[in-house]
Amino acid sequence: MSVQDYLDKHLLARKIEEAVNAAVRAKTTDPVLFIANHMRKSVKSVITKVKARQILDSRGIPTVEVELTTNKDTFRASAPSGPSSGLFEAIELRDGDQGVYLGNGVTKAVRIINEKISEALIGLDPTLQSQIDEAMIDLDKTEKKGELGANAMLAVSMAVCKAGAAEKEVPLYKHIADISGGNNTIIPVPSFTVLSGGKHAGNNLAFQEIMVLPVGAKTFEEAMQMGSETYHHLKAVITEKYGVHGCNVGEDGGLAPNTSSVKEALDLVMEAIGKTGHNEKIKIAISVAATEFCIGTKYDLDFKTPDKSGQNFKSAEDMIELYQQLCSEYPIVSIEDPFDKEDWEHTKFFSGLQKCQVVGDSLLMSNPKLIEKAIQESTCNALLLKINQIGTVTEAIEAVKIAKKAHWGVMVSHRIGETEDTFIADLSVGLAMGQIKAGAPCRGERLCKYNQLLRIEEELGEQGNYVGEGWRVS
């Protein structure tokens, strides 16, 4: 084939002429670079390769990382991970070989991506997020993604989303807003973990987390300052009362002094808030994770105490009384998983008291069916969205839409097994969620999400609306 035949076959002469004319109109000083970029943009992006590898999350446990390549660039994403906690949660695919990473390896998931998912996605347009996610769901054919693995599917789905944003030459949060049909991007209130307990820390505190929400801040940048100052004042308060060993941290970066009760822990946080001078601008949230210390129908608040003479059992009614007391004595605006994941009755009753936002985590598993059931039965009034519990970006968007339609609060959440991926920061802005929970204002895998929100706020400028007092229903 001659050069002229080649040019004619691929219509290159016309495309080159268009690029040259554009360069002339732009009066560019570097026409070769301009023409090259113009030609590149004129070519539609398609997926050319999907490659996965096994990496380690923040706990030192394997997870899946994906590099998705188009004919224009390569995009990387990694799946967060947490302990499985419910029948309705999408299944992480792990190797199960106890001799390698104690059974936690993900080489099966990696192989499925490299050999099966990759083949199904080659040639597809990455801007078509829902179609690609649906293709993976159809390929899996199971309700809980047990064939391909939610960890494999999510990492691919996130990488596709990043590639789609790049093809449209828009920020990731803007692309997420576009594919969700939304037009309102907001900067969420951060829910900073400052004190850790439960199974996240080696102290005696039964409750999993105490968090601070800088709802009175005017910008996300100011909220970051408030959260950081509270954390460092708390560190000083704990050091004075418990010694430096009290400043060990939990898996999410929260400080973990060996407090004897939740009230003692809350008093420490209140003292730290007082030292910041932002008393009225900072509220408190608690993640109870009550399932972890529920035995039958009772709750053992001393479940971690060694050599205990008697267990501190509380009934669900006792817990309701405790929560009401805490809400009256402290500026608590949100309580997450106050009862066992199967106890819809008492969760509904407490939610009906309207003492604070009642967040469903293990209760809902980010599952649209459970969310719809909870809305119909008025069981709780907020969703904790963990994207790895559901498995694809499209399904996460659907879960948020259902919750927001019911005027629920929505808090997007990190997992204990985190990576340096900042995807949930953009997701929180793109879906106009009022709240984000990414751990303490320390540790790189936590801070990278908050730092990404600082960048987004700076990029949006005057259009960057920090939700502040409107955090509950955005």
Side-chain angles (χ1 to χ4, degrees):
M1 181 183 295
S2 69
V3 172
Q4 187 60 52
D5 290 341
Y6 189 86
L7 291 171
D8 292 342
K9 178 180 180 181
H10 297 285
L11 304 177
L12 290 179
R14 188 176 68 188
K15 292 177 181 177
I16 292 171
E17 182 180 359
E18 290 173 353
V20 171
N21 288 334
V24 172
R25 288 193 299 272
K27 298 179 181 179
T28 177
T29 57
D30 191 340
V32 174
L33 179 61
F34 184 95
I35 291 169
N37 288 334
H38 188 280
M39 294 289 289
R40 184 170 179 269
K41 291 176 183 178
S42 69
V43 178
K44 188 176 181 180
S45 181
V46 295
I47 297 170
T48 59
K49 183 179 181 182
V50 184
K51 176 180 171 56
R53 66 173 60 89
Q54 177 174 271
I55 63 169
L56 299 187
D57 67 22
S58 58
R59 303 167 298 173
I61 293 176
T63 190
V64 178
E65 179 177 84
V66 165
E67 286 183 350
L68 182 141
T69 301
T70 69
N71 50 327
K72 296 185 178 180
D73 211 338
T74 296
F75 306 89
R76 181 180 295 160
S78 51
S81 180
S84 180
S85 55
L87 293 175
F88 291 90
E89 182 174 358
I91 296 171
E92 285 186 339
L93 192 62
R94 295 198 178 269
D95 298 344
D97 182 352
Q98 294 299 317
V100 180
Y101 284 116
L102 307 179
N104 291 313
V106 291
T107 60
K108 289 181 181 178
V110 167
R111 186 167 60 251
I112 282 173
I113 293 171
N114 292 340
E115 297 177 0
K116 197 169 184 178
I117 295 178
S118 177
E119 182 180 348
L121 302 191
I122 297 301
L124 298 184
D125 179 352
T127 64
L128 304 177
Q129 184 75 43
S130 62
Q131 292 182 27
I132 292 175
D133 287 343
E134 191 62 41
M136 288 194 289
I137 292 169
D138 290 344
L139 190 63
D140 179 88
K141 295 185 179 68
T142 68
E143 185 176 355
K144 297 197 295 179
K145 301 175 175 63
E147 183 68 25
L148 301 182
N151 45 352
M153 293 172 68
L154 177 63
V156 173
S157 184
M158 291 163 62
V160 167
C161 199
K162 293 178 182 182
E167 170 62 13
K168 291 161 61 176
E169 297 186 333
V170 297
L172 180 57
Y173 62 85
K174 178 64 168 63
H175 176 56
I176 291 171
D178 288 345
I179 62 177
S180 69
N183 54 15
N184 179 30
T185 54
I186 61 170
I187 312 294
V189 166
S191 186
F192 296 110
T193 302
V194 292
L195 203 152
S196 294
K199 291 192 174 181
H200 289 182
N203 56 8
N204 291 336
L205 182 63
F207 289 13
Q208 186 167 273
E209 296 169 87
I210 296 177
M211 296 163 280
V212 295
L213 285 72
V215 299
K218 299 301 182 185
T219 64
F220 187 83
E221 183 179 12
E222 185 183 10
M224 280 293 295
Q225 177 186 334
M226 290 182 184
S228 176
E229 288 176 357
T230 302
Y231 185 83
H232 287 285
H233 279 301
L234 180 58
K235 186 181 291 186
V237 169
I238 291 171
T239 299
E240 182 180 350
K241 295 188 177 184
Y242 299 88
V244 292
H245 63 277
C247 291
N248 292 333
V249 299
E251 289 185 310
D252 50 9
L255 299 163
N258 205 18
T259 55
S260 59
S261 69
V262 65
K263 284 192 174 184
E264 183 181 344
L266 286 166
D267 287 338
L268 293 172
V269 175
M270 287 301 297
E271 184 174 348
I273 291 173
K275 289 181 179 295
T276 69
H278 302 304
N279 303 54
E280 300 304 316
K281 296 181 178 180
I282 298 176
K283 303 300 182 183
I284 291 177
I286 298 175
S287 173
V288 181
T291 298
E292 303 294 350
F293 54 91
C294 180
I295 302 175
T297 59
K298 300 287 186 179
Y299 297 89
D300 181 13
L301 297 183
D302 285 340
F303 82 104
K304 296 196 294 179
T305 305
D307 304 321
K308 52 194 173 187
S309 56
Q311 292 173 308
N312 185 11
F313 281 126
K314 301 287 186 184
S315 66
E317 289 71 25
D318 293 333
M319 296 299 287
I320 290 173
E321 185 177 343
L322 172 61
Y323 297 142
Q324 291 190 86
Q325 185 178 11
L326 294 178
C327 287
S328 65
E329 295 179 11
Y330 302 93
I332 294 171
V333 295
S334 180
I335 297 180
E336 180 185 320
D337 273 0
F339 302 97
D340 179 67
K341 63 187 178 185
E342 303 295 337
D343 191 350
W344 286 56
E345 177 187 354
H346 289 99
T347 304
K348 177 179 180 178
F349 180 83
F350 179 61
S351 181
L353 296 176
Q354 299 183 346
K355 296 294 181 180
C356 64
Q357 173 179 261
V358 179
V359 185
D361 176 13
S362 297
L363 184 81
L364 302 177
M365 292 286 109
S366 301
N367 185 294
K369 292 181 180 179
L370 292 181
I371 297 168
E372 288 177 338
K373 177 185 175 184
I375 290 169
Q376 292 169 3
E377 299 181 7
S378 302
T379 306
C380 53
N381 53 36
L383 165 68
L384 192 75
L385 178 72
K386 293 176 175 176
I387 55 176
N388 75 305
Q389 289 182 331
I390 193 164
T392 67
V393 172
T394 299
E395 290 167 296
I397 290 172
E398 181 60 27
V400 172
K401 282 184 175 180
I402 293 169
K404 288 171 75 72
K405 186 177 180 181
H407 304 291
W408 275 23
V410 182
M411 179 185 289
V412 67
S413 176
H414 66 156
R415 298 307 311 265
I416 282 302
E418 262 302 334
T419 74
E420 302 92 338
D421 201 306
T422 62
F423 187 85
I424 64 169
D426 284 82
L427 187 71
S428 70
V429 176
L431 296 184
M433 293 185 247
Q435 309 162 58
I436 184 171
K437 168 182 170 181
C442 81
R443 296 184 52 151
E445 76 280 358
R446 316 293 159 181
L447 275 173
C448 64
K449 282 74 168 170
Y450 297 132
N451 287 338
Q452 175 66 358
L453 286 167
L454 286 173
R455 299 183 195 102
I456 292 173
E457 183 174 64
E458 181 182 88
E459 182 177 291
L460 286 171
E462 293 182 357
Q463 296 179 338
N465 177 26
Y466 175 67
V467 70
E469 297 286 353
W471 63 276
R472 175 63 182 83
V473 179
S474 54

